[in-house]
């Protein structure tokens, strides 16, 4: 378990990381919404994947602010949400290379 004591530099680093991930995830979530809106058909899976990382970042910030501990379940959820984002990128590269067969699109997806 991660213990949150006042003035713990590891906790502050975790809080800053969560804020950074929240900011980046929000930007790319909005981008995914816009991308989906402008597509002829389909759905940008970033709408789902970045939403999960946004929610896990908010969870971390909330727990730190309350001074509580993140248990193994909470840590697992945070890990899974970040793996979902990574899987979304991996799927995008696979889709670009194997389905569309476009190397430029694959580089963009990476």
């Amino acid at each position: 378990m991660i213990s949150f004591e006042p003035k713990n530099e590891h906790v502050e680093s975790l809080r800053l990381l969560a804020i950074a991930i929240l900011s980046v995830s929000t930007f790319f979530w909005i981008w995914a919404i816009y991308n989906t809106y402008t597509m002829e058909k389909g759905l940008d899976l970033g709408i789902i994947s970045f939403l999960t990382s946004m929610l896990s970042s908010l969870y971390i910030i909330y727990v730190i602010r309350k001074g509580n501990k993140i248990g193994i379940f909470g840590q697992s959820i945070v890990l899974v949400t970040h793996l979902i984002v990574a899987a979304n990128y991996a799927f995008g590269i696979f889709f670009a290379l194997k389905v569309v067969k476009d190397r430029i699109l694959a580089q963009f997806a990476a």
Side-chain angles (χ1 to χ4, degrees), residues 73-98:
F73 179 75
Q75 292 174 32
S76 299
I77 294 297
V78 171
L79 174 64
V80 167
T81 64
H82 292 198
L83 289 175
I84 289 170
V85 172
N88 183 37
Y89 274 102
F91 177 73
I93 293 169
F94 171 80
F95 184 79
L97 288 175
K98 300 297 182 183

Side-chain angles (χ1 to χ4, degrees), residues 19-91:
I19 291 170
I21 291 172
L22 177 61
S23 301
V24 171
S25 294
T26 301
F27 174 81
F28 283 109
W29 180 68
I30 292 168
W31 179 328
I33 291 171
Y34 174 77
N35 192 30
T36 298
Y37 179 73
T38 59
M39 291 168 53
E40 289 184 26
K41 63 179 182 176
L43 171 75
D44 186 329
L45 294 177
I47 291 175
I48 298 165
S49 65
F50 288 113
L51 180 63
T52 65
S53 64
M54 287 167 55
L55 292 174
S56 70
S57 294
L58 287 170
Y59 170 72
I60 291 170
I61 293 166
Y62 172 79
V63 168
I64 289 173
R65 189 168 284 160
K66 289 289 192 180
N68 295 333
K69 297 179 181 180
I70 298 177
I72 191 70
F73 179 75
Q75 292 174 32
S76 299
I77 294 297
V78 171
L79 174 64
V80 167
T81 64
H82 292 198
L83 289 175
I84 289 170
V85 172
N88 183 37
Y89 274 102
F91 177 73

